[in-house]
């Protein structure tokens, strides 16, 4: 247990579901709401822990016999991903029926879900995670086919419920679904950002369960160091920090007996922590070089974070001699939002880095030639602006 002490924040394995600290109220609300309707919409800003609350917190409220979760992500097409995921979940082989239009596909889904229920004899919970991807990347035909299929499933006698997990900025996208299913948004739960008080329980709870003593004031000082100017707590960064502390306390894998305040100093500052986190995430991309190029657009020539739109990113990459295309930019931006590296767009469609320390680490990756190109671009923009004002 101690080896994965703080992994419960985003781990969905059964053994980790027995502990979930600081979110009792939200978990109880989810458990209550999931029975109010065949459809439950869970929404909130990026980084509030929506997926973890469903897959860990809510899952722990059920017995094994009462919970068969089926997680679906859009991939390239949400209907194909839904169909493929169901096929993999079933035990009894089902011959693949060629889909001829959304109606035929919907009837096929009903048949597959019925077969899955007979295989497991458990109520089925279909969880669409990061559902905003459909509204960002999906076509109208893709949306229409999905909502048609969902309607046929909920109109059937199947023991099947749907949970949609979505960032709240895209909640309005469901209004077109209401034309087919009027009650689609009738049952929903908003997940709030974690408070510092709850975050302290996240830190202390697992230690208490594992008989690890924490020096008084450790949790408060850690949160002040991680987010000194904000009452909000970034769960991803908190997990990374806690994991580093725990590895420091147990370098040889032995059980930890105490976590002390002096470990905060030895763990390094937030800049080093987030720098390591950034490097790890970038290295996992299919094209790390392009990923870093996109992130460089969020840093000014002085090394501070700056707000940019998709058009700004495209212009930036062209300045550095690359034209990577809007779809690639959009896909990378969405991935960085999910990784808590970027904040989602504001009312002016501008994105920005979540932490100043991330800007510092990205700035270190900008080469001298790139800096000179950016300075030349800024000089030209200033000269153009002066010409437009003075006509000289």
């Amino acid at each position: 247990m101690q080896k994965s002490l703080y992994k419960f924040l985003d781990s969905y394995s059964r053994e980790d579901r027995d502990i979930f600290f600081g979110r009792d109220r939200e978990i109880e609300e989810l458990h209550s709401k999931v029975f109010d309707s065949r459809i439950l919409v869970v929404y909130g800003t990026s980084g509030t822990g929506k997926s973890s609350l469903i897959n860990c917190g809510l899952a722990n409220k059920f017995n094994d016999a009462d919970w068969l979760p089926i997680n679906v992500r859009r991939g390239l097409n949400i209907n194909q991903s839904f169909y493929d995921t169901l096929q993999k979940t079933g035990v009894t082989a089902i011959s693949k029926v060629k889909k001829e239009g959304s109606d035929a596909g919907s009837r096929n889904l009903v048949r597959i879900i019925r077969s899955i229920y007979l295989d497991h004899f458990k109520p089925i919970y279909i969880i669409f995670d990061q559902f905003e991807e459909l509204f960002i990347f999906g076509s109208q035909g893709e949306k229409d086919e999905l909502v048609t299929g969902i309607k046929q499933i909920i109109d059937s006698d199947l023991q099947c419920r749907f949970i949609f997990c979505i960032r709240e900025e895209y909640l309005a996208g469901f209004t077109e679904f209401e034309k087919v299913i009027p009650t689609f948004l009738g049952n929903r739960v908003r997940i709030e950002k974690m408070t510092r008080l709850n975050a302290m329980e996240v830190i202390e709870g697992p230690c208490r369960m594992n008989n690890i003593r924490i020096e008084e004031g450790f949790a408060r000082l850690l949160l002040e160091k991680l987010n000194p100017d904000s009452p909000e707590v970034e769960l991803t960064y908190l997990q990374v920090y806690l994991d580093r502390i725990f590895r420091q306390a147990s370098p040889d894998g032995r059980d930890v007996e105490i976590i002390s305040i002096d470990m905060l100093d030895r763990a390094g500052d937030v800049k080093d922590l987030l720098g390591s986190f950034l490097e790890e995430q970038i290295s996992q991309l299919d094209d790390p070089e392009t990923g870093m190029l996109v992130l460089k657009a969020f840093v000014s020539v002085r090394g501070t974070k700056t707000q940019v739109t998709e058009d700004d990113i495209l212009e930036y990459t062209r300045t550095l001699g690359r034209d990577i295309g809007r779809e690639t930019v959009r896909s990378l931006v969405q991935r960085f939002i999910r990784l808590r590296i970027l904040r989602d767009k504001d009312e002016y469609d501008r994105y920005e880095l979540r932490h100043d320390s991330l800007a510092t680490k990205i700035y270190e990756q900008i080469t001298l030639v790139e800096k000179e190109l950016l300075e030349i671009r800024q000089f030209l923009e200033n000269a153009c602006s002066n010409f437009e004002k003075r006509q000289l």
Side-chain angles (χ1 to χ4, degrees):
M1 178 64 200
Q2 282 209 350
K3 291 181 181 179
S4 60
L5 188 63
Y6 291 112
K7 293 299 183 183
F8 69 89
L9 281 174
D10 65 359
S11 175
Y12 303 157
S13 60
R14 190 68 193 180
E15 60 268 20
D16 288 328
R17 291 178 185 164
D18 295 332
I19 53 172
F20 205 97
F21 300 94
R23 311 302 290 265
D24 293 344
R25 181 185 60 80
E26 289 99 330
I27 293 170
E28 290 294 339
E29 186 176 10
L30 284 173
H31 187 241
S32 173
K33 287 277 192 177
V34 80
F35 297 108
D36 287 349
S37 171
R38 299 282 290 277
I39 294 175
L40 172 63
V41 176
V42 181
Y43 68 101
T45 59
S46 178
T48 52
K50 301 181 291 295
S51 299
S52 294
L53 281 171
I54 294 168
N55 290 286
C56 295
L58 177 61
N60 190 45
K61 303 295 289 185
F62 291 90
N63 295 321
D64 274 334
D66 299 324
W67 171 259
L68 179 61
I70 299 177
N71 286 275
V72 182
R73 283 284 304 278
R74 177 180 177 268
L76 297 177
N77 182 287
I78 198 165
N79 297 292
Q80 189 61 49
S81 296
F82 187 18
Y83 184 82
D84 291 343
T85 303
L86 291 176
Q87 286 277 355
K88 293 175 183 176
T89 305
V91 175
T92 303
I94 302 172
S95 59
K96 294 186 178 181
V97 177
K98 183 178 179 181
K99 294 191 285 185
E100 299 176 356
S102 61
D103 201 41
S106 301
R107 287 196 296 273
N108 197 29
L109 292 176
V110 170
R111 188 166 64 88
I112 295 173
I113 292 173
R114 191 182 305 279
S115 177
I116 291 172
Y117 178 76
L118 293 175
D119 285 336
H120 298 273
F121 283 105
K122 297 179 182 181
I124 297 169
Y125 292 83
I126 298 172
I127 304 166
F128 283 97
D129 196 13
Q130 297 176 18
F131 196 70
E132 64 274 2
E133 292 175 342
L134 177 62
F135 299 127
I136 297 170
F137 302 109
S139 65
Q140 189 60 49
E142 189 178 347
K143 299 173 193 174
D144 292 343
E145 180 176 346
L146 179 67
V147 72
T148 300
I150 291 170
K151 178 170 173 55
Q152 288 213 355
I153 293 168
I154 64 174
D155 286 346
S156 70
D157 60 350
L158 296 171
Q159 290 290 317
C160 178
R161 298 178 186 272
F162 290 90
I163 301 176
F164 295 87
C165 189
I166 188 170
R167 298 205 306 266
E168 66 181 10
E169 308 92 89
Y170 298 93
L171 192 65
F174 282 122
T175 54
E176 60 184 293
F177 284 17
E178 290 182 306
K179 297 174 184 177
V180 180
I181 307 174
T183 59
F184 204 103
L185 282 173
N187 188 35
R188 60 184 187 267
V189 176
R190 184 177 191 271
I191 305 301
E192 305 282 349
K193 280 277 190 180
M194 179 173 278
T195 65
R196 286 203 177 192
L197 182 61
N198 286 347
M200 291 178 69
E201 179 62 14
V202 166
I203 298 169
E204 297 171 353
C207 290
R208 195 165 54 244
M209 291 282 290
N210 286 269
N211 299 315
I212 300 173
R213 291 184 294 118
I214 295 186
E215 188 175 346
E216 187 175 352
F218 172 87
R220 177 180 56 80
L221 290 172
L222 186 153
L223 293 172
E224 288 178 359
K225 188 173 183 179
L226 189 62
N227 279 71
D229 304 318
S230 174
E232 298 178 346
V233 177
E234 289 288 349
L235 294 179
T236 301
Y237 299 162
L238 176 60
Q239 179 178 354
V240 173
Y241 211 139
L242 290 173
D243 189 57
R244 174 174 289 193
I245 292 288
F246 188 68
R247 289 176 185 274
Q248 179 190 123
S250 178
D252 54 3
R254 295 182 181 179
D255 286 352
V256 178
E257 296 181 357
I258 184 170
I259 292 179
S260 58
I261 291 175
D262 67 294
M263 291 180 181
L264 291 175
D265 296 327
R266 298 204 302 270
D269 60 22
V270 176
K271 181 175 69 173
D272 295 332
L273 170 79
L274 298 187
S276 300
F277 171 70
L278 180 66
E279 290 172 3
E280 179 183 341
Q281 299 304 324
I282 291 294
S283 67
Q284 294 175 7
L285 296 175
D286 294 334
D287 186 354
E289 183 180 348
T290 300
M292 180 55 73
L293 179 63
V294 168
L295 286 178
K296 289 176 181 178
F298 293 88
V299 181
S300 72
V301 292
R302 298 183 180 274
T304 58
K305 67 178 185 178
T306 183
Q307 294 180 314
V308 296
T309 64
E310 283 184 6
D311 289 335
D312 294 330
I313 299 171
L314 287 167
E315 185 63 31
Y316 180 94
T317 58
R318 289 170 187 149
T319 299
L320 298 184
R322 294 279 303 278
D323 190 356
I324 61 178
R326 187 175 295 275
E327 286 303 314
T328 300
V329 167
R330 185 169 295 172
S331 178
L332 285 168
V333 165
Q334 293 303 316
R335 178 159 185 168
F336 291 140
I337 289 172
R338 293 194 296 272
L339 292 172
R340 318 300 178 231
I341 292 172
L342 296 181
R343 295 187 187 279
D344 206 349
K345 62 184 177 183
D346 61 14
E347 63 271 25
Y348 303 106
D349 292 334
R350 298 174 305 189
Y351 304 89
E352 70 172 337
L353 294 167
R354 283 188 172 270
H355 207 288
D356 292 326
S357 296
L358 288 169
T360 303
K361 300 304 292 186
I362 294 169
Y363 185 71
E364 293 174 359
Q365 301 297 316
I366 301 177
T367 66
L368 179 60
V369 173
E370 289 173 337
K371 289 175 183 177
E372 289 177 344
L373 282 171
L374 295 173
E375 288 172 358
I376 292 169
R377 175 186 167 187
Q378 188 172 45
F379 172 79
L380 291 172
E381 288 176 346
N382 292 338
C384 183
S385 177
N386 287 333
F387 170 75
E388 289 175 344
K389 289 179 182 178
R390 303 173 62 185
Q391 294 299 305
L392 292 172

